[in-house]
Amino acid sequence: MYTLRMQWPVLVRLLSILLSFAAIGTAAAQDEPTTLRTSPALRQLLSETLEQNPGVQAARAAVDAAGARARGADRPLYNPELALDAEQAETRTGTLGLSQAIDWADKRGARTAVADAELDKARAEYAALRQQLAGELLAALGRYHTAADIQRLAQQRQELMQRFLNLAEQRRQAGDISQVELDLARLAHTQATLQLSQAASDLAEAEQALVAITGNPRRDWPLLPDDLPLLQTVDADTLLKDLPALRAQQARVGAARSTVTLRSRERRPDPTIGVRAGQERAFRNGNDDAYGVTGLTLSIPLYVRNNFSAEVAAAGAEQTQAEQSLQDAYRRARAQLLSAAERYRLSRGAWLAWQASGQASLGSQVTLLERIWRAGEMSTADYLVQLNQTLDTRLNAREVQGRLWTAWADWLVASGQMDAWFGGADAH
């Protein structure tokens, strides 16, 4: 009996190690991509969230405003001016004139280019914000369901420890265990109760975070898939080319370049041409004589006191700033993309390992441990160690699944594939 009591923990650990290696081998053999489609409930929640979110609505309004500015920039820069002149002295003169400033340097074209680039930037920022919010929603759903699973496991742990305490009290009355072992059972029950309280608090916090994103509390939050697609070879250049955040940065560079052109053209004066016609009446020697009056005017502003060179220099510096910001954003986006891909692969491999062996072996392990302890073949301390290890393994599995969902959300945002996945397309 003594020999069995000493060897049992070693046998359990050895069995766990062997199962882990078997699971890793099964995960490594999984090389076929899995095609998944999101549930209608999840797509509906995303649609409602994006439609009602104030940040998304503000970005949509920014797109509308940029579109209106682009239409306005494409209109003529100057309007004609009408002038009426009347003078009475020895003669009476009345003229009507019409003048028009001419966009000699094509400032209108430069303004249109700036406005079009700003419109592209607003559209890209709108798309990036939608994908970012969708990623936050997906990650928050993962944290909520993970917290809910952990809370259920904590409830199960508390019930098991309550059962263990009741059995320990019965065995103490029968003289099978010592007072120290009974105290150990009570401490384990107290710890399980505290863990349950913490798990319930974490679940409430996760739900509030989810409500903050969606704007509406609900009871039936959509479930996330247990199995996610296998990530194939990552073509970073192709994915980053269509990334909304980088497209917004590229549009900023285009707007900055067009602004340099605009500021350069604004240094060129635009002439104003005018024509006038009227009549002059003179009273001389009792005669009322009338003469027709016509005229042509040309005016050109002289940029002497201010040639606007500082504005051109500032626009050039802003262009350099936008270009360097684009390079920095590209480096960061590439690193984030590769990091998200690696974290997702690791999380998926760990989850497949658990699915292959962990959840199947833990189902009956609690019952087996209790039977051995009640038979006196395992000490109370060893029983608690093995029981907690069993429950912690299940808890760690839920945390692995939560990290998998978070890694998947990060990958979708980093690769710009959020819309494609929610639309039912395969992972790239």
Side-chain angles (χ1 to χ4, degrees), residues 203-265:
L203 176 60
E205 183 178 353
E207 185 173 12
Q208 288 304 315
L210 193 53
V211 171
I213 295 175
T214 61
N216 295 311
R218 53 190 298 171
R219 296 181 178 179
D220 54 340
W221 295 104
L223 296 176
L224 296 175
D226 291 333
D227 190 16
L228 292 173
L230 174 67
L231 197 60
Q232 302 291 351
T233 302
V234 176
D235 188 353
D237 293 334
T238 301
L239 293 173
L240 294 177
K241 181 177 64 177
D242 298 326
L243 193 65
L246 289 184
R247 286 194 286 109
Q249 289 287 351
Q250 292 169 354
R252 289 190 183 95
V253 174
R257 290 173 179 171
S258 299
T259 301
V260 172
T261 302
L262 175 60
R263 296 294 177 259
S264 298
R265 293 180 181 180

Side-chain angles (χ1 to χ4, degrees), residues 67-77 107-109 111-113 115-116:
R69 285 192 293 268
R71 293 191 299 271
D74 196 36
R75 303 301 297 272
L77 188 61
K107 298 181 178 67
R108 172 184 173 182
R111 292 173 67 239
T112 302
D116 288 341

Side-chain angles (χ1 to χ4, degrees), residues 231 234-237 239-241 243 246 326-345 407 410-411 413-415:
L231 197 60
V234 176
D235 188 353
D237 293 334
L239 293 173
L240 294 177
K241 181 177 64 177
L243 193 65
L246 289 184
L326 173 60
Q327 294 297 323
D328 180 67
Y330 181 84
R331 291 180 181 179
R332 293 176 181 272
R334 185 181 182 87
Q336 185 177 2
L337 174 66
L338 298 178
S339 174
E342 185 64 21
R343 284 187 287 109
Y344 173 69
R345 290 193 183 103
D410 292 342
W411 158 254
V413 174
S415 62

Side-chain angles (χ1 to χ4, degrees), residues 17 22 41 44 53 57 65 69 91 99 115 150 178 187 200 309-310 337 421:
I17 294 173
Q44 181 180 359
N53 184 266
Q57 293 178 356
R69 285 192 293 268
T91 60
S99 62
I150 291 177
S178 65
L187 288 175
S309 60
L337 174 66
W421 186 67

